[in-house]
Amino acid sequence: MQGSESRTAVDWLVSAAADPAACRWEWERNPRGVALLPAGRRWDVLILPGELGHRTLAVLGLLRDRPGPVLAGPAGTRLGFFVPAGTASGWVGTGVRGAGPGTWIAVPYPGLRAGGGIRWLVAPDGSGTLTDPGTLELAMEAAAQAAQAAQPRGGRP
């Protein structure tokens, strides 16, 4: 991410914080380049298990529109998709966790810094673009079907 785009992304992210200056300070001072931001104000985060999350992101990548920001946890074991605020409270899905009001998300600086194991797969661009929940659900279904189709049919003639 370059200069002004990075600043715009930073401004968008810190707008979720009660104290944007403290968030910026944390990014600058934290050796891992991570700050905690509250979910539920500007966005919620749906957290998918690694394999399903990566497959879902691949399906979303086939679409014309850019998905919203996506975080990967350490070793890619979980992916967090930024969705509109209010989505997490109504989401029902096996193995999917929702982060909404009252929860905090560890967020790396949206630039070239290391994130202590947490990294952006799709960095925010500052526009406020979020992944549409309906599109995410369809991508998850397609990803799950593809994973199931790839499974060997053990024990069947």
Side-chain angles (χ1 to χ4, degrees):
M1 192 175 296
Q2 300 293 319
S4 66
E5 186 177 326
S6 179
R7 282 190 299 276
T8 303
V10 168
D11 291 343
W12 179 74
L13 284 168
V14 300
S15 72
D19 185 348
C23 180
R24 291 173 192 275
W25 184 90
E26 187 66 23
W27 272 326
E28 292 298 323
R29 304 306 185 290
N30 184 315
R32 295 181 183 220
V34 177
L36 289 176
L37 289 174
R41 184 169 174 200
R42 299 268 187 246
W43 35 258
D44 286 355
V45 179
L46 294 179
I47 303 165
L48 282 61
E51 184 178 342
L52 176 61
H54 286 284
R55 288 179 180 262
T56 298
L57 183 57
V59 171
L60 286 172
L62 298 174
L63 303 175
R64 291 179 11 195
D65 294 294
R66 180 183 187 277
V70 180
L71 283 174
T77 56
R78 291 182 297 255
L79 269 65
F81 293 80
F82 282 52
V83 294
T87 301
S89 65
W91 193 271
V92 178
T94 303
V96 177
R97 292 186 307 158
T103 60
W104 295 81
I105 299 294
V107 179
Y109 186 85
L112 302 175
R113 302 177 192 186
I118 301 168
R119 67 189 191 289
W120 292 107
L121 296 181
V122 178
D125 61 7
S127 70
T129 298
L130 299 168
T131 299
D132 175 74
T135 303
L136 180 62
E137 183 175 19
L138 291 173
M140 286 173 56
E141 288 175 11
Q145 288 173 359
Q148 187 175 21
Q151 294 291 326
R153 307 264 184 211
R156 292 191 179 172

